[in-house]
Amino acid sequence: MRAARMHGYDQPLRFDEVPVPDPGRDEVLLKVSATGMCRSDYQLVDGYFRSGLPVDLPFIPGHEVAGTIAAVGSDVPAAAGISEGDPVVVNPNWGDGTCRQCRRGNQQLCSNGRLVGFGPNGGFAEYMVAPYRHVLSVAGQPDSDPRYLAPLTDAGITPYRGMKKLRDAGLLGAGRTVVVNGIGGLGGYAVQYARLLGAGATVIGFARSDAKLAVATEHGAHHTLNVRDATVEQVRGALEDMTGRPAVDAVLDCAGSEESLGLAAAILDTGGALCQVGLMGDRLELPSFPFVSGEKSYFGSFWGNLDDLQEVLTLASQGQIRHQVVPVAFEDVNDALEALGRGDVVGRAVVVFD
Ligand code: FEH
Ligand code: ZN
C-alpha cells in the first residue's frame, strides 16, 4: 500500500510502498476512504510534540479517519457487529480502559492511552489497523460521505466538548455573548455549536481573514470581526457596537496562540469563561487580579470522548451540521500540511482516497 510517512522531524512526508498491516486478534483492518488534516499534523511533523508525544520513525500520521472494514481479527466478537465492507469512523483516543479517566468515559485523558496518528500509525495511508472497540459503524448515517464524517472525529468533537463546558458553566443563553476565536477547521464547527447549544446567545466569530469570517457567517454567526492587527481597545469598541457591551460572557478559543488567548482574556466580562481547545503556543498568561476579582474561569478541553463523538454523529445525521471541506489528493499531502502551517486553509482539508 501507499503510505505518507514521517522519516524525521521537520521533513516532508515520504510516499513509501509498505505492506498492508495485519490486524491483530482484537483489531480490524480498514481501507481508508478519507482522512482529515489538522494543524496538529503540521505540528507533529514540525516537531512541536517531539518531547510530549514522541513517535517511532518511520511513522504514518493522520488522526481523523473514515473507511470501510477490510478484515476482522480472529478474536473480534460477533456481538461487536462488525463485518467486512461496513463503513466506519475511528474513535481516535485509545485509552487503557482501566484507569480512573477511562472508567469515567474520558479515554482521551488516559495517561497510558494512545492517540491514533500520534503513536499508532494513522490514516495517511491506504490501509490502517485499529482496535475493534474504537471503530464506530456509520452504516445508518444518512450523510455518509466519508470526507464529511472523517473530520467529525476531531475538528467536529473538539469544539463540541469545549462548547459544552461553556454551556454547563451557565455562560450561554439569551442576553449572553459567546465568541469563537479562530475560524479554522475547528472554528467552523464551533460557531454551529454556539448556535445549537447556545439557547439564544449572541454568537460572534473572530478571525484574521475575511474568507474565514465568511465561513463563520455562513455557519450562523450573528456578527464577525477581523482581529488581524486590531488593538484590544478596537475589539472592545467593536463588541460594544455589536452587542451594547465591550465584553463577552464566553470565549471558545480555537486558535490557541498567545495572541488569541491574550485577546480572549482581555474581552472576558466579570463571571465569564475562556475555554481553550486550539493549541499553538507554549504558554498561557492570564492577568491574575482580573481573573480572581472578576471570578473568571479558564477551561482546558482536550479532543472528545465517545459520547461526544456519538452526539456529533447524531447531529450530523439529523442534518444539523454543515461541513466545509477542502478535498486534498493523497499526493498533495505535503502541500496541504504547509498550507495548514501558514493558516491558509479555509475549512477542513481532507485527504480523499480513490
Ligand atoms: C492532538 C494531539 C495533541 C494535541 C492536539 C491534538 C489535536 O489534534 C486534538 O484536538
Ligand atoms: Zn487534530
Side-chain angles (χ1 to χ4, degrees):
M1 69 172 187
R2 288 180 306 154
R5 298 200 300 175
M6 271 176 78
H7 286 261
Y9 290 105
D10 217 6
Q11 296 172 21
L13 302 180
R14 274 196 236 155
F15 294 93
D16 296 327
E17 195 63 37
V18 298
V20 173
D22 276 329
R25 288 154 62 143
D26 62 352
E27 290 181 332
V28 292
L29 176 70
L30 266 89
K31 182 162 190 338
V32 178
S33 309
T35 303
M37 298 189 69
C38 184
R39 195 172 187 285
S40 58
D41 295 317
Y42 166 81
Q43 290 170 298
L44 173 68
V45 174
D46 190 38
Y48 179 90
F49 301 116
R50 194 191 295 245
S51 55
L53 288 170
V55 292
D56 292 333
L57 300 171
F59 178 68
I60 308 171
H63 55 275
E64 293 184 344
V65 187
T68 52
I69 301 289
V72 179
S74 56
D75 285 357
V76 175
I82 297 172
S83 312
E84 275 185 44
D86 285 354
V88 294
V89 293
V90 178
N91 177 34
N93 293 288
W94 305 347
D96 63 13
T98 59
C99 75
R100 207 156 158 243
Q101 292 300 336
C102 286
R103 287 186 194 280
R104 295 175 69 178
N106 286 324
Q107 298 222 353
Q108 82 284 12
L109 305 183
C110 176
S111 43
N112 301 313
R114 298 182 300 152
L115 312 177
V116 72
F118 291 92
N121 280 324
F124 292 168
E126 291 175 296
Y127 290 87
M128 66 169 270
V129 289
Y132 82 89
R133 285 192 177 80
H134 296 299
V135 297
L136 259 79
S137 171
V138 285
Q141 197 82 10
D143 190 0
S144 63
D145 188 329
R147 72 184 73 189
Y148 298 146
L149 294 175
L152 297 181
T153 62
D154 177 13
I157 60 175
T158 300
Y160 182 72
R161 184 173 178 85
M163 194 60 72
K164 284 203 298 189
K165 286 190 199 291
L166 294 170
R167 179 199 61 189
D168 296 347
L171 292 160
L172 307 184
R176 302 234 164 78
T177 307
V178 53
V179 163
V180 174
N181 205 2
I183 310 293
L186 277 62
Y189 292 106
V191 166
Q192 302 181 62
Y193 302 140
R195 292 299 305 266
L196 283 165
L197 307 179
T202 299
V203 178
I204 304 179
F206 282 6
R208 294 157 57 83
S209 95
D210 289 343
K212 292 182 178 179
L213 293 178
V215 173
T217 303
E218 204 179 307
H219 289 173
H222 298 102
H223 306 279
T224 60
L225 185 65
N226 191 326
V227 292
R228 184 180 288 275
D229 301 327
T231 63
V232 167
E233 288 66 35
Q234 286 167 335
V235 172
R236 289 177 66 92
L239 288 170
E240 182 136 39
D241 292 342
M242 291 168 187
T243 68
R245 289 160 62 209
V248 305
D249 302 288
V251 180
L252 185 69
D253 197 304
C254 297
S257 66
E258 285 167 34
E259 192 185 349
S260 70
L261 293 162
L263 176 62
I267 60 168
L268 216 52
D269 211 343
T270 302
L274 156 64
C275 179
Q276 178 181 356
V277 291
L279 202 56
M280 272 168 87
D282 287 319
R283 300 198 69 76
L284 167 70
E285 231 175 76
L286 297 175
S288 57
F289 184 67
F291 261 68
V292 173
S293 65
E295 293 200 342
K296 303 180 195 194
S297 306
Y298 169 83
F299 297 105
S301 187
F302 184 59
W303 217 322
N305 65 17
L306 195 55
D307 278 350
D308 298 319
L309 180 54
Q310 267 158 345
E311 289 169 28
V312 162
L313 286 169
T314 302
L315 289 171
S317 75
Q318 293 167 345
Q320 299 212 60
I321 297 183
R322 289 181 182 210
H323 311 277
Q324 182 84 29
V325 160
V326 181
V328 173
F330 185 46
E331 45 281 9
D332 295 335
V333 74
N334 284 310
D335 291 343
L337 285 173
E338 288 301 316
L340 282 165
R342 292 191 305 271
D344 278 354
V345 178
V346 180
R348 195 59 156 180
V350 178
V351 180
V352 182
F353 293 84
D354 0 281

